[in-house]
Amino acid sequence: MIKAVFFDIGYTLYQDHNAGLRAAKRVSEYLSSIGYYYDVNYLWQLFCKSREAIRYFGGDDFEPWDFSSLTMLLSSIGIRNPEIVLNAYKEFVEGVSEGLVLEDDAIDVLEYLRNKGYILAVVSNMGSYDIVLRILSRDKILKYFNAIVASQMVGWRKPSSKIYEYTLRLLGLNPKETVHVGDDPIADVFGAKKAGLRAIHKPR
Amino acid sequence: MIKAVFFDIGYTLYQDHNAGLRAAKRVSEYLSSIGYYYDVNYLWQLFCKSREAIRYFGGDDFEPWDFSSLTMLLSSIGIRNPEIVLNAYKEFVEGVSEGLVLEDDAIDVLEYLRNKGYILAVVSNMGSYDIVLRILSRDKILKYFNAIVASQMVGWRKPSSKIYEYTLRLLGLNPKETVHVGDDPIADVFGAKKAGLRAIHKPR
């Protein structure tokens, strides 16, 4: 019997309206305000390259913290002041959060499942737990969840079984009692099935 | 020629006055204030067990985020409300920070090295970057450092070469130009030498 439902965030509970580029835009605007001028697309490319460099250290299922990738990006353009890096990270988190917009029917679905007695959790590939917490609080849906797990928090990305196993263990659940809902055929469907959960594919 | 000096935190730049137990005490007090009564030592044991469980997933050089360990600890005693977990983590960070006390001569040393033109960085095994940032800000020594690296930020602990390599890459340094100062014979001395840096052992 299914006792719990896990939800992906991007393209599942949330629409993604260019979240990455919005983050780069915010960082670019902040840097301009203190006298460093960098193109948004260039910054975003550097961010992705920095992130890949760190993932190369950690392996395929490793999720680097966005703060760490951002620190490396800024360092590569000569910006190493820790307070500037921290401010840029706050803008980054704000920018990604702005780009993530709650699906119209998400609250109805969560309300329905909660009333049916299901245990609910978020299992998201996200490089900043801060972002997940921020959007769930902003959209007042934090209260529906018994666990909120972001890949940065544990260090492993879906489709790795480890992030599913961590969440199951948190909630004292068997995989067979759990269904994961997500849009990504690899991360969400293959990953969940590999960890022994059932999976529901929500097309984008 | 040596261009840069990296510093460990615990027992090097800082004394550790029972930081872990102070954190557990703060968490215990917070939980009492909302009606959950747990012994400090028991909580600290559960924290260490949770942390080890997560390290078991990630491997020997993996550093789990304290937030992730704390989430697992609280879950194991039936506390899964995300806001409670977040508040407990804030208390945890505060408690560890309280227990870390700047060494008397730290500022003199940093001032001296900065005036000599050395590049300075922190390379610390710490499960929360938040803690490192908090204590360096509190003690007004943030300004001395060109990079602040905590193991949680990158996911790997000393003696892993990865945390040293990440820091070198951030600063555009060769290992041969760099000396690392720390108290731990394995993490600080062996680790730094393995990554090609020189090492200075500061006894506790």
Side-chain angles (χ1 to χ4, degrees):
Chain A
M1 202 186 80
I2 295 297
K3 287 188 185 171
V5 185
F6 292 177
F7 284 95
D8 172 47
I9 291 231
Y11 300 106
T12 302
L13 286 177
Y14 280 78
Q15 297 165 25
D16 183 333
H17 292 180
N18 291 316
L21 276 177
R22 278 172 196 260
K25 187 158 176 283
R26 281 231 169 213
V27 173
S28 165
E29 283 167 1
Y30 165 65
L31 293 179
S32 304
S33 79
I34 55 168
Y36 300 94
Y37 301 96
Y38 288 96
D39 174 69
V40 175
N41 287 298
Y42 177 68
L43 279 180
W44 181 240
Q45 275 172 34
L46 282 184
F47 180 82
C48 295
K49 274 174 68 176
S50 301
R51 187 169 174 280
E52 285 312 305
I54 302 174
R55 285 193 65 188
Y56 182 80
F57 274 109
D60 274 350
D61 65 355
F62 178 68
E63 181 79 273
W65 186 14
D66 292 331
F67 181 77
S68 181
S69 307
L70 193 63
T71 300
M72 187 169 274
L73 143 63
L74 292 172
S75 183
S76 74
I77 57 177
I79 299 174
R80 296 188 178 114
N81 178 308
E83 295 183 68
I84 296 179
V85 177
L86 197 71
N87 289 336
Y89 175 66
K90 286 179 188 160
E91 296 295 326
F92 182 94
V93 166
E94 184 75 35
V96 174
S97 301
E98 270 174 19
L100 293 170
V101 177
L102 191 65
E103 282 282 1
D104 288 336
D105 51 3
I107 289 180
D108 289 346
V109 169
L110 294 170
E111 191 75 33
Y112 175 83
L113 291 170
R114 188 179 62 174
N115 290 339
K116 289 274 183 185
Y118 289 104
I119 295 165
L120 303 178
V122 164
V123 180
S124 167
N125 277 354
M126 195 82 77
S128 293
Y129 181 80
D130 293 341
I131 292 168
V132 178
L133 199 72
R134 189 178 189 86
I135 60 177
L136 299 182
S137 304
R138 177 193 67 197
D139 298 326
K140 301 183 173 51
I141 58 169
L142 202 56
K143 63 180 177 185
Y144 291 105
F145 299 106
N146 298 85
I148 293 157
V149 176
S151 48
Q152 175 253 321
M153 174 182 161
V154 288
W156 315 293
R157 290 171 62 76
K158 300 177 288 185
S160 169
S161 297
K162 291 174 183 171
I163 182 168
Y164 290 106
E165 286 164 8
Y166 175 85
T167 315
L168 291 167
R169 183 166 171 159
L170 278 187
L171 295 168
L173 290 164
N174 289 319
K176 292 278 169 242
E177 300 169 325
T178 309
V179 59
H180 176 73
V181 184
D183 68 292
D184 191 296
I186 304 299
D188 295 307
V189 180
F190 169 74
K193 286 187 174 174
K194 191 169 52 127
L197 288 72
R198 297 190 200 186
I200 293 175
H201 184 226
K202 174 186 174 293
R204 287 191 182 184
Chain B
M1 203 187 80
I2 296 295
K3 287 188 186 171
V5 185
F6 293 177
F7 284 96
D8 173 46
I9 291 231
Y11 299 105
T12 303
L13 285 177
Y14 280 79
Q15 297 164 24
D16 183 334
H17 291 181
N18 291 315
L21 276 178
R22 277 171 196 261
K25 184 156 178 284
R26 281 229 169 217
V27 172
S28 165
E29 283 166 2
Y30 165 65
L31 293 179
S32 305
S33 79
I34 55 167
Y36 300 93
Y37 302 95
Y38 288 96
D39 174 71
V40 175
N41 287 298
Y42 178 67
L43 279 181
W44 182 242
Q45 277 174 32
L46 282 184
F47 179 82
C48 294
K49 274 175 67 176
S50 301
R51 188 171 173 279
E52 285 312 306
I54 302 174
R55 286 193 65 190
Y56 182 79
F57 274 109
D60 273 350
D61 65 354
F62 177 69
E63 181 79 273
W65 185 14
D66 292 331
F67 181 77
S68 180
S69 307
L70 192 63
T71 300
M72 188 170 275
L73 142 61
L74 292 172
S75 183
S76 75
I77 56 177
I79 298 172
R80 298 187 176 114
N81 178 309
E83 295 182 67
I84 295 179
V85 177
L86 197 71
N87 289 336
Y89 175 66
K90 286 179 188 158
E91 296 295 326
F92 182 94
V93 166
E94 184 76 33
V96 174
S97 302
E98 269 175 20
L100 293 169
V101 178
L102 191 65
E103 282 282 2
D104 287 337
D105 52 2
I107 289 179
D108 288 347
V109 170
L110 294 170
E111 191 75 33
Y112 175 82
L113 292 170
R114 190 180 60 175
N115 290 339
K116 289 273 183 187
Y118 288 104
I119 295 166
L120 304 178
V122 164
V123 180
S124 167
N125 277 353
M126 195 80 80
S128 293
Y129 181 81
D130 293 340
I131 292 169
V132 179
L133 200 72
R134 189 180 190 86
I135 61 177
L136 299 181
S137 304
R138 177 192 68 197
D139 298 326
K140 299 184 175 48
I141 59 170
L142 202 55
K143 63 180 178 187
Y144 291 104
F145 300 106
N146 298 85
I148 292 157
V149 176
S151 47
Q152 175 254 319
M153 175 183 160
V154 289
W156 315 293
R157 289 171 64 75
K158 300 178 285 186
S160 169
S161 296
K162 291 175 184 172
I163 183 167
Y164 291 105
E165 287 164 8
Y166 174 85
T167 315
L168 292 167
R169 182 166 172 160
L170 278 187
L171 295 167
L173 289 165
N174 290 319
K176 292 275 167 244
E177 300 168 328
T178 310
V179 60
H180 176 74
V181 184
D183 67 293
D184 191 296
I186 304 297
D188 294 307
V189 179
F190 169 75
K193 287 188 172 174
K194 191 169 52 128
L197 287 71
R198 297 190 201 187
I200 293 174
H201 185 223
K202 174 186 175 293
R204 285 191 183 186

